[in-house]
Amino acid sequence: MKKIIYLAAFCAFLLTSCNDYLDTVQNKGNDEVLSSSKQVEALFGNSRTFNTPAGLNTAASDDYGMTIELNDMLGYVDENLLNGMTWNVQDVAASQYGDQTWEAEYNKIFTANLVITQIGEIKDLTEANRTEYLAQAHLMRATAMWNLANTYCMPYSRETAGEPGLPLKTSTSYEENVARSTLQQTYDFILADLEEALKTTNTGIADNRRWAVSKPAVEALMARYYLFTQDYEQAAKYASEALKCGDAELVDYNDLPFRPSDVSLEGEVETVNYSSLYRYGDNQVANFKENYLSQYYTVEQVLVPSESLMQLYDQATDLRFRHFFNKYALWEQGIGGYGEDIVYNKFKERIQAGPTVAEMLLTEAEALARSGKWQEAMVLVNKLRVARIDRTAEDIMLEAGSQQEAVEKILEERHREMPFIMRWFDIRRLAFNETSYDDVTVERDFYQVSDNAVNDDVVSHYVLPVKSKRYAQPIVYTEIARSNHQIEQNAYDDNSVVVTSQSLDSGEDGDDGSEEGEEY
């Protein structure tokens, strides 16, 4: 990952920065130099810089509902979806196209390191601006590292603390060692960055710049960090602090309008009842008022919801279902005839990655419930429900008679609120926490997938066991080669993914076992 990646990273940030920066940047071989505040502002001034390609995570959880029937109708499914939904190892590692998620996040880390290491060279900065730029850089690096850790590493726990973590890049040098740290060292690194970001003096969230660093944004990310490291006291504390900020507000979906759109297919016309959020422009999405920090996972593929996801909702009264699960939405892609053609849409091609008011209510609620304060927890989760359930419904409030029931109901509400990618991250962490009743085994039936293609002569049953080694996505070989093999591949075994196959021609069962189980 040395020179090639960081030359690519530097080119990427040049291309996305403003013309003033292009006019003034000094290039001294491997020593890129910042010399003015305009250059730093260019690096941090565009909200899209902070977004992340979703990659395989889109299809990895039990929320993704691609079926054999829909595949037959589509005729083609993107290889990221195929490899994500089957938890592939070999094809992912051997990809000739690189890995957009890995590259995008290390580009952010490069940008952050450029600012952190060069901030002393900039003469036209006030101390106040210097503090904010450093806080922003540390926040950018922390969020990039968190996304990487929750994609390419095992979930954090005492059990996994010694497992491989990430290369800890702290400079822009192409010669810096990029051997993987331990998972504990990776999480310590993320926490240290968040603590540096917390030095920001911005106590409020900027109206038209919600991707910028602020104390509430950092507090919200600290709450997420501690929830995922099973420190529930700290998770509840930071979520509570974030919720004190009035600059982020819960949107009452009872007041959220629809934006219907007529679609047609083969002479038939139907109306898709899109939410107004689906029609939001870039600026509206970036400044959505529930966000403490406006960051998104960008998704190029259609999000097909699973039956199990749709069954979580009271489809008559839950406004999340009525707004975001759209009948006939596939018709806009020229596809029809599959049931009622339901597609999940919220912000169109974006899924929230940054923390929101809803997430903080759920985080504090879960942390309190796991700490034994489950009655208090139900009050918090019901604050969210009031803004998500039709106000005319008879059963808006949730009740629990025990700690376990409270945790289970909070997790269900979290699932309804944050499907797909956050659900995948939750499946991972729940497997390694202190309870087993919330463990999730993910299973699906689909065609055999190999060499990034579907073999429609063989149907396979895929099982991702609890604590699977395939919770960690493979690192592509090209990144390992670029690092001169300093980076080591994740280790997989025969139980990482269990695949049972049956030929449609013969009807005979194939061998049990994992196609993903080779060690590297």
Side-chain angles (χ1 to χ4, degrees):
M1 191 179 63
K2 287 183 180 179
K3 183 173 290 188
I4 296 176
I5 280 190
Y6 284 93
L7 283 173
F10 190 60
C11 290
F13 102 79
L14 283 177
L15 290 172
T16 56
S17 299
C18 71
N19 291 333
D20 286 344
Y21 183 80
L22 295 175
D23 292 339
T24 58
V25 67
Q26 302 174 43
N27 187 354
K28 297 184 178 180
N30 289 349
D31 298 320
E32 291 76 28
V33 178
L34 295 175
S35 60
S36 77
S37 58
K38 286 184 178 181
Q39 295 169 350
V40 183
E41 190 59 35
L43 296 177
F44 294 149
N46 189 330
S47 65
R48 287 175 294 179
T49 303
F50 298 88
N51 295 339
T52 299
L56 277 66
N57 291 334
T58 303
S61 82
D62 51 359
D63 288 346
Y64 187 65
M66 179 61 63
T67 63
I68 289 171
E69 293 80 10
L70 182 55
N71 175 83
D72 290 346
M73 188 173 63
L74 293 172
Y76 170 79
V77 175
D78 182 88
E79 67 183 51
N80 274 337
L81 295 179
L82 291 177
N83 291 328
M85 66 185 284
T86 58
W87 311 293
N88 193 291
V89 168
Q90 294 162 340
D91 293 346
V92 174
S95 173
Q96 299 178 12
Y97 305 107
D99 185 332
Q100 282 188 319
T101 303
W102 178 276
E103 292 169 3
E105 297 308 270
Y106 271 106
N107 280 347
K108 293 177 193 172
I109 291 166
F110 178 91
T111 300
N113 288 341
L114 186 67
V115 174
I116 292 167
T117 59
Q118 296 290 334
I119 196 78
E121 305 298 321
I122 302 175
K123 306 303 182 185
D124 64 343
L125 284 179
T126 65
E127 280 307 308
N129 284 341
R130 194 180 307 275
T131 297
E132 294 314 308
Y133 286 145
L134 281 172
Q136 183 74 72
H138 282 287
L139 183 63
M140 173 183 270
R141 192 167 69 183
T143 55
M145 290 291 289
W146 193 89
N147 288 334
L148 288 164
N150 281 274
T151 299
Y152 301 97
C153 305
M154 290 295 287
Y156 178 87
S157 69
R158 291 182 181 178
E159 180 182 343
T160 60
E163 294 276 345
L166 296 169
L168 304 181
K169 288 290 297 180
T170 59
S171 76
T172 59
S173 170
Y174 308 131
E175 305 305 320
E176 185 177 5
N177 185 289
V178 291
R180 296 177 71 173
S181 63
T182 66
L183 194 58
Q184 182 66 61
Q185 291 168 333
T186 296
Y187 272 79
D188 289 345
F189 187 85
I190 294 169
L191 181 58
D193 266 341
L194 289 174
E195 288 172 341
E196 286 297 315
L198 201 54
K199 294 178 181 178
T200 177
T201 59
N202 290 335
T203 57
I205 302 170
D207 270 344
N208 292 307
R209 198 180 170 90
R210 281 185 178 265
W211 60 92
V213 66
S214 68
K215 281 189 181 294
V218 183
E219 288 165 348
L221 287 167
M222 295 278 267
R224 181 188 287 181
Y225 173 93
Y226 282 118
L227 182 69
F228 275 70
T229 54
Q230 301 91 46
D231 188 337
Y232 301 122
E233 180 180 354
Q234 291 295 324
K237 169 190 166 183
Y238 279 105
S240 177
E241 286 300 312
L243 286 166
K244 292 176 183 177
C245 174
D247 294 333
E249 303 174 43
L250 195 63
V251 173
D252 189 339
Y253 286 0
N254 284 280
D255 303 323
L256 193 64
F258 289 92
R259 295 286 185 268
S261 176
D262 287 341
V263 295
S264 61
L265 185 72
E266 297 179 353
E268 291 188 55
V269 178
E270 294 287 350
T271 299
V272 181
N273 213 21
Y274 287 119
S275 170
S276 59
L277 299 185
Y278 181 80
R279 298 300 187 193
Y280 272 18
D282 286 348
N283 187 58
Q284 289 173 295
V285 172
N287 290 292
F288 183 55
K289 68 179 183 178
E290 283 196 357
N291 293 345
Y292 290 99
L293 189 68
S294 286
Q295 297 180 350
Y296 293 88
Y297 301 108
T298 54
V299 181
E300 295 179 358
Q301 304 88 2
V302 173
L303 293 175
V304 178
S306 65
E307 285 296 326
S308 62
L309 173 60
M310 291 190 286
Q311 289 169 7
L312 274 176
Y313 300 86
D314 182 327
Q315 297 182 12
T317 64
D318 196 315
L319 298 171
R320 290 166 294 199
F321 187 86
R322 281 158 54 179
H323 274 273
F324 307 139
F325 290 78
N326 300 130
K327 298 178 183 179
Y328 305 109
L330 278 176
W331 286 24
E332 290 197 331
Q333 279 76 44
I335 301 164
Y338 175 70
E340 292 183 308
D341 305 320
I342 293 177
V343 176
Y344 179 85
N345 294 302
K346 187 175 181 180
F347 290 108
K348 204 169 185 177
E349 75 279 6
R350 300 178 183 89
I351 299 175
Q352 281 164 318
T356 65
V357 176
E359 182 184 344
M360 289 304 100
L361 287 169
L362 292 163
T363 296
E364 186 179 5
E366 183 182 342
L368 289 175
R370 291 188 183 278
S371 302
K373 301 175 182 178
W374 51 271
Q375 296 94 336
E376 295 177 41
M378 298 310 294
V379 173
L380 288 166
V381 77
N382 282 325
K383 285 184 180 180
L384 173 62
R385 298 234 345 141
V386 168
R388 297 298 191 252
I389 307 300
D390 191 318
R391 60 171 61 103
T392 66
E394 295 182 1
D395 299 316
I396 295 177
M397 303 302 186
L398 296 178
E399 297 179 354
S402 68
Q403 180 183 23
Q404 178 174 332
E405 186 180 6
V407 171
E408 289 174 337
K409 289 194 173 183
I410 291 164
L411 289 176
E412 283 187 354
E413 198 65 27
R414 182 178 173 91
H415 191 172
R416 285 187 281 264
E417 183 67 26
M418 297 183 289
F420 291 100
I421 293 174
M422 191 59 75
R423 171 62 175 172
W424 171 240
F425 293 158
D426 279 342
I427 288 172
R428 290 164 32 96
R429 74 171 173 97
L430 294 173
F432 284 92
N433 66 7
E434 70 287 351
T435 55
S436 59
Y437 59 76
D438 50 12
D439 291 349
V440 180
T441 299
V442 189
E443 303 181 52
R444 59 170 50 99
D445 293 314
F446 195 68
Y447 289 125
Q448 184 183 73
V449 175
S450 61
D451 296 327
N452 299 308
V454 167
N455 177 4
D456 57 11
D457 291 327
V458 178
V459 171
S460 297
H461 182 66
Y462 297 88
V463 179
L464 187 73
V466 173
K467 295 190 176 182
S468 168
K469 293 288 187 181
R470 182 51 185 80
Y471 284 162
Q473 183 176 308
I475 300 169
V476 297
Y477 292 142
T478 53
E479 301 300 342
I480 293 172
R482 287 169 178 172
S483 73
N484 291 329
H485 295 274
Q486 289 183 32
I487 296 175
E488 295 183 2
Q489 183 60 276
N490 294 315
Y492 303 96
D493 56 33
D494 289 344
N495 293 315
S496 296
V497 183
V498 180
V499 185
T500 306
S501 300
Q502 180 177 5
S503 170
L504 293 180
D505 293 332
S506 67
E508 298 178 355
D509 289 340
D511 294 334
D512 289 348
S514 170
E515 296 180 351
E516 329 309 317
E518 290 189 22
E519 295 185 2
Y520 295 85

